Amino acid sequence: MFLVLFGLLALSCLPLSVLGVPEDRDALMYRMNIYLPPKEGRDEKADILEIKTTVAGLTDIKVLFSFKELGNSVVILVLRVDKACSWAQLTSFLARKGYEFKVMPVYYCSDFARELGLNMTRDFYDTFLEADEDLLLGTQIFPVNGLTTAEYNEKLRQMFVRDISILNAGQKAACFRTLARLPVELIHFAPVGQKAMEAIAETLHAPDTFDLEILRIQQLDTYAGRCK
């Protein structure tokens, strides 16, 4: 945790010319995993509610998505950080609580798809998922496996072509790429349902498949009060 904390504190001191200006959202979005360690007498619901309330009140940090992994004490956030020095609000709170955390810069899959030559607007993927929906997090990693750059990019383009078809058929999903990660890593948040399961099956049986990890998650909006 302390390595991550020191890294973020160093990050907060960099000028915005390095990190990006407030309008440059790609350079200022992050996925954060917060791990609540096992502790005797811990009220997990109250702790998660405190995290939810704290991040909602941060200045110059907007919560785009907030989830909890089902079955594990892990909170998953996607954040837009408008001012780098605002990180200290969050990291100091997490350090005081003794929570471990991991931060990964991300950007929109639609922007990445355009880099690959596809015509995809930024709002093609969802920016909001209903609080009462059953959700999953799918992490896709695309091994290189000796492919040339052109072959690798074509493999990624074909994945997005399948995504476009699935979303046009009515499936909802939010998608982000982990910045500068090689092999390429994409994360999808999507409702669980018949269409979602059919889409997963179609993806798994597609040619040149990728490594896929699926986790069940729930919105932090479900944490509305402390345990009685």
Side-chain angles (χ1 to χ4, degrees):
M1 179 190 75
F2 293 107
L3 289 176
V4 177
L5 177 59
F6 291 147
L8 285 176
L9 291 175
L11 181 69
S12 69
C13 297
L14 292 174
L16 285 178
S17 59
V18 176
L19 292 170
V21 295
E23 290 75 21
D24 184 11
R25 304 307 186 195
D26 292 352
L28 297 169
M29 292 198 308
Y30 300 86
R31 170 185 171 180
M32 173 180 272
N33 283 12
I34 303 171
Y35 306 91
L36 283 63
K39 182 178 179 181
E40 184 177 356
R42 176 183 296 284
D43 184 343
E44 180 185 272
K45 186 171 183 178
D47 286 349
I48 292 175
L49 179 61
E50 184 178 12
I51 292 173
K52 172 188 168 184
T53 303
T54 299
V55 296
L58 296 175
T59 303
D60 298 316
I61 296 180
K62 179 177 175 57
V63 182
L64 303 180
F65 291 98
S66 59
F67 307 104
K68 179 193 176 292
E69 183 180 330
L70 286 178
N72 290 304
S73 299
V74 182
V75 172
I76 302 166
L77 306 174
V78 179
L79 307 171
R80 192 190 74 207
V81 182
D82 292 340
K83 292 185 179 179
C85 288
S86 59
W87 268 117
Q89 303 168 83
L90 181 53
T91 55
S92 60
F93 163 74
L94 296 174
R96 287 197 308 272
K97 299 295 293 186
Y99 298 149
E100 297 180 2
F101 56 93
K102 180 179 180 180
V103 179
M104 295 152 282
V106 298
Y107 69 108
Y108 293 109
C109 284
S110 50
D111 290 350
F112 181 43
R114 285 200 301 275
E115 293 170 10
L116 295 169
L118 293 173
N119 183 19
M120 184 183 289
T121 60
R122 178 168 287 185
D123 60 0
F124 190 81
Y125 288 98
D126 284 279
T127 58
F128 173 79
L129 298 173
E130 296 292 340
D132 59 351
E133 290 179 315
D134 293 328
L135 302 170
L136 60 82
L137 184 161
T139 302
Q140 300 166 291
I141 297 177
F142 296 78
V144 178
N145 292 337
L147 298 174
T148 66
T149 299
E151 291 169 337
Y152 192 63
N153 286 345
E154 181 59 26
K155 178 179 181 179
L156 291 164
R157 272 193 292 269
Q158 289 306 312
M159 190 285 304
F160 280 117
V161 169
R162 290 194 294 271
D163 248 20
I164 290 170
S165 175
I166 291 168
L167 294 176
N168 280 336
Q171 173 62 41
K172 296 173 60 179
C175 181
F176 299 89
R177 180 193 169 181
T178 304
L179 184 65
R181 170 70 183 266
L182 287 175
V184 168
E185 178 182 274
L186 305 180
I187 54 173
H188 284 78
F189 304 111
V192 178
Q194 186 59 37
K195 286 184 178 180
M197 301 315 295
E198 290 173 357
I200 291 170
E202 179 180 340
T203 298
L204 290 174
H205 289 92
D208 298 323
T209 53
F210 38 78
D211 297 332
L212 178 65
E213 178 187 70
I214 296 176
L215 299 174
R216 290 292 304 276
I217 57 176
Q218 63 184 141
Q219 295 266 25
L220 282 198
D221 286 349
T222 60
Y223 287 83
R226 298 178 182 271
C227 293
K228 301 294 184 182

